[in-house]
Amino acid sequence: MSAPPAPPSASRVAVYPGSFDPITRGHADIVERSLRFADRVIVAVAVNAAKQPLFSVEERLALIRRAVSHPSVEVRSFDGLLVDFARRAGATMIVRGLRAVSDFEYEFQMALMNRNLEPALETVFLVPALDLTYLSSSLVREVARHGGDVSQLVHSAVLQALRDKFAK
Ligand code: PNS
């Protein structure tokens, strides 16, 4: 075994990275589930992941803070490699949500690449609540852009932000 197990007293820190453009109820569900096995969860917004994001990094950070307000959840942005950010943050786990088989190939590649870069970091895949499995930020953006109702899919602060964005 290359990475020794963390002592029982150590605080378990998980990084949940993504674009979060914007955060959906599916993302919030994954954060909640992560808190069942992590003492602290860092929701990490990748600065350069989305080429033309709808929301700026600052807007996304603010919306995540509204949508997942919890004393054990921290919301930060990062630039560069995820593994470097995770190492600096003292994380031992990367959390990713797996919604469907179509997610698998990309997630599998990413997990193996991250392991290659940093063997001590473990990727943990979580399955969201069944009624949220079809949800994605891109679908939410598209439906909201055309005036569709996404009120059940995002936090009220995100709903307002989408309305403001598309009213312009
Ligand atoms: O929500 P997304 O867009 O699917 O998240 C992708 C993300 C941000 C997790 C991924 O692009 C990432 O980790 N970017 C940071 C740069 C990096 O470390 N790339 C190598 C990953 S193998």
Side-chain angles (χ1 to χ4, degrees), residues 17-19 46 49 78 80-82 96 106 110 113-114:
S19 306
F78 74 100
L81 284 178
L82 170 63
R96 292 284 288 173
Y106 170 60
M110 225 167 33
M113 178 57 81
N114 283 329

Side-chain angles (χ1 to χ4, degrees), residues 31-91:
V31 173
E32 217 172 281
R33 287 173 197 281
S34 306
L35 286 169
R36 294 179 187 167
F37 58 86
D39 300 304
R40 206 150 56 81
V41 176
I42 303 172
V43 181
V45 178
V47 170
N48 291 319
K51 286 192 185 88
Q52 285 198 312
L54 177 63
F55 292 100
S56 70
V57 171
E58 290 68 31
E59 287 171 324
R60 281 180 272 162
L61 291 171
L63 291 174
I64 297 168
R65 289 188 181 116
R66 294 285 302 278
V68 288
S69 153
H70 187 285
S72 302
V73 176
E74 206 182 309
V75 184
R76 290 163 64 177
S77 62
F78 74 100
D79 211 348
L81 284 178
L82 170 63
V83 292
D84 291 336
F85 172 79
R87 198 185 295 122
R88 285 196 303 273

Side-chain angles (χ1 to χ4, degrees), residues 7-168:
S9 59
S11 144
R12 298 176 82 86
V13 181
V15 172
Y16 178 32
S19 306
F20 303 105
D21 186 35
I23 184 166
T24 67
R25 291 215 185 275
H27 294 126
D29 179 70
I30 295 294
V31 173
E32 217 172 281
R33 287 173 197 281
S34 306
L35 286 169
R36 294 179 187 167
F37 58 86
D39 300 304
R40 206 150 56 81
V41 176
I42 303 172
V43 181
V45 178
V47 170
N48 291 319
K51 286 192 185 88
Q52 285 198 312
L54 177 63
F55 292 100
S56 70
V57 171
E58 290 68 31
E59 287 171 324
R60 281 180 272 162
L61 291 171
L63 291 174
I64 297 168
R65 289 188 181 116
R66 294 285 302 278
V68 288
S69 153
H70 187 285
S72 302
V73 176
E74 206 182 309
V75 184
R76 290 163 64 177
S77 62
F78 74 100
D79 211 348
L81 284 178
L82 170 63
V83 292
D84 291 336
F85 172 79
R87 198 185 295 122
R88 285 196 303 273
T92 53
M93 291 173 277
I94 296 169
V95 168
R96 292 284 288 173
L98 258 194
R99 293 163 302 184
V101 179
S102 51
D103 280 345
F104 183 76
E105 195 169 335
Y106 170 60
E107 294 298 335
F108 190 62
Q109 274 185 322
M110 225 167 33
L112 288 177
M113 178 57 81
N114 283 329
R115 179 182 288 163
N116 185 47
L117 293 167
E118 178 50 82
L121 260 178
E122 215 51 72
T123 298
V124 178
F125 293 115
L126 295 181
V127 177
L130 186 61
D131 59 332
L132 299 172
T133 46
Y134 66 95
L135 197 50
S136 71
S137 296
S138 55
L139 271 183
V140 164
R141 288 197 304 272
E142 183 167 336
V143 173
R145 188 188 305 275
H146 296 291
D149 180 14
V150 293
S151 58
Q152 304 302 307
L153 313 178
V154 296
H155 185 274
S156 55
V158 176
L159 185 66
Q160 191 54 54
L162 284 164
R163 284 182 180 149
D164 293 346
K165 208 49 109 176
F166 292 124
K168 281 175 194 159

